[in-house]
Amino acid sequence: MLLGASRGHDSIPGGAIKTENINHEFLDAVLEGRQVDVYYHFGVASDDPILEKLRGVRAVILAGSGERITDFAERWSALSGDPEIIAFPKEERFVTRYTGGVLFSSHGMGMPSASIAVQELMRMVYFLKRGDLEALDDVFWARVGTSGGVGLPGGTIVVSEAGLMADLKPFRLLQGGIGTYWFDGEFPAATRAAIMAANADSGLPIVEGKTIATNEFFLEQFRLDGAIRRETAQTKHEFLEWLHANGVRNIEMEGAMLAAYWNSWGFPSFAMICAVLLNRLEGDQVTSTPEQLHDFSEQSGDVLFNYLQQRLLTS
Ligand code: R2B
Ligand code: URA
């Protein structure tokens, strides 16, 4: 068990949350009991007694698969003195576990799926913290996932500096035919530094870099092994070289939206930690063995838990 040297954490209590981006009209009606909020995709509602057990939440950890969530929850419970592991009854869309002040949730694959998970979880955390902005500032959010490396071998772990889309611009959404909603893609530098510091003696291969999130696994990642092919070996190489020259170190499918939404509320502490499954400069197919994939997942979990132990268990 690695415990880092520095104490405390990197959040800036009181003042980071941007109240203008919180949907007060709806969320405050829930707090005042004028409205019940149904977190439909999680199968719970704000008047469900199960939520009382989650009031002490201090971190929300997202990962793509439900299996990883159950594994992470068991690991965190063991590290934090074996507190009870609580599950939400519905697991059809997302698998959720709460233990030791941490809410773990799967988000599925891609930004549309993950955006549903994170918006419902932000609503839920606002309710759990009774709209207290200082308490919200103190919550750490992260995605721990997998990615394709840009010039990095399988097994490397990337802590993201920014989450951008495939054109190196931040996340945005269509505002009907009127315009575009633009967001901010930065991950907070202080949180990143704290994660690196907590892992300084871990011996794990961790790098910092920009990450792009694509809308699709094949075409937007310039793969040549999709059912549909638009690129050549030459254009793929040029794309990956362009990404690398611009500081991008990995490619996945959720980070741009997550950074966008967490920045939108002004959360001071959030991060993305992704294991690299393959070096995209060398191939497209994920050929790692199940054992290697398990190790990659465990190691990205190690990076998270080294930080979480320092943040939650030593302060
Ligand atoms: C990484 O891996 C998944 C695709 O295989 C996707 O959810 C992502 O971001
Ligand atoms: N996830 C992705 O989105 N891309 C990869 O290449 C590997 C995992």
Side-chain angles (χ1 to χ4, degrees):
M1 190 184 303
L2 180 94
L3 287 175
S6 64
R7 297 180 67 83
H9 59 73
D10 48 285
S11 74
I12 313 154
I17 296 285
K18 295 177 198 142
T19 55
E20 70 271 21
N21 286 332
I22 294 176
N23 182 358
H24 284 289
E25 192 171 331
F26 178 70
L27 295 176
D28 292 348
V30 177
L31 288 183
E32 289 157 18
R34 289 184 282 116
Q35 168 94 43
V36 172
D37 195 359
V38 178
Y39 313 104
Y40 162 66
H41 298 88
F42 291 91
V44 288
S46 54
D47 60 356
D48 191 325
I50 199 171
L51 289 188
E52 285 309 312
K53 298 183 174 185
L54 276 63
R55 291 273 184 201
V57 65
R58 296 183 64 198
V60 182
I61 306 300
L62 302 172
S65 83
E67 200 176 318
R68 191 177 262 216
I69 289 307
T70 53
D71 175 53
F72 280 176
E74 279 163 25
R75 286 180 70 187
W76 181 244
S77 178
L79 283 168
S80 54
D82 290 317
E84 180 191 7
I85 299 177
I86 297 161
F88 288 163
K90 174 169 166 170
E91 305 215 317
E92 180 193 330
R93 298 295 187 189
F94 303 121
V95 174
T96 313
R97 295 287 183 274
Y98 177 80
T99 188
V102 182
L103 180 56
F104 296 91
S105 173
S106 64
H107 58 61
M109 282 189 283
M111 293 188 271
S113 173
S115 71
I116 298 170
V118 76
Q119 287 230 33
E120 290 194 3
L121 289 168
M122 285 164 67
R123 276 161 39 190
M124 196 184 293
V125 169
Y126 186 87
F127 172 77
L128 291 171
K129 296 299 167 194
R130 299 184 169 89
D132 177 332
L133 300 185
E134 284 200 15
L136 286 168
D137 270 358
D138 197 43
V139 177
F140 169 65
W141 297 77
R143 160 171 142 77
V144 181
T146 57
S147 61
V150 182
L152 296 172
T156 313
I157 294 156
V158 181
V159 182
S160 300
E161 293 172 358
L164 303 171
M165 296 187 75
D167 56 2
L168 295 181
K169 295 187 178 130
F171 183 70
R172 63 273 193 189
L173 290 167
L174 299 179
Q175 187 189 7
I178 308 165
T180 307
Y181 298 112
W182 281 93
F183 294 85
D184 177 3
E186 293 296 307
F187 280 90
T191 307
R192 203 166 61 247
I195 292 170
M196 296 303 282
N199 283 280
D201 300 328
S202 68
L204 294 164
I206 314 171
V207 302
E208 297 172 67
K210 293 179 192 161
T211 303
I212 62 158
T214 62
N215 282 310
E216 205 261 15
F217 188 79
F218 295 96
L219 287 174
E220 270 204 357
Q221 298 193 12
F222 276 58
R223 280 188 148 80
L224 305 179
D225 64 342
I228 302 163
R229 179 168 166 166
R230 291 282 174 93
E231 302 302 331
T232 64
Q234 168 81 15
T235 59
K236 171 189 158 184
H237 188 76
E238 284 167 6
F239 172 66
L240 294 172
E241 287 297 340
W242 174 69
L243 292 180
H244 192 267
N246 281 284
V248 175
R249 294 295 173 265
N250 63 340
I251 306 173
E252 47 82 73
M253 297 179 64
E254 294 85 16
M257 180 279 302
L258 291 172
Y261 285 13
W262 291 329
N263 274 318
S264 175
W265 269 25
F267 285 112
S269 309
F270 59 87
M272 187 162 71
I273 300 165
C274 285
V276 164
L277 302 187
L278 76 165
N279 183 357
R280 287 297 318 290
L281 289 168
E282 291 172 2
D284 291 335
Q285 298 232 317
V286 180
T287 54
S288 315
T289 64
E291 291 74 27
Q292 284 172 318
L293 294 173
H294 177 76
D295 288 350
F296 297 160
S297 174
E298 287 285 299
Q299 287 176 359
S300 53
D302 291 344
V303 174
L304 168 74
F305 291 129
N306 282 332
Y307 174 65
L308 274 188
Q309 283 183 95
Q310 195 173 92
R311 185 181 170 107
L312 301 190
L313 302 184
T314 65
S315 60

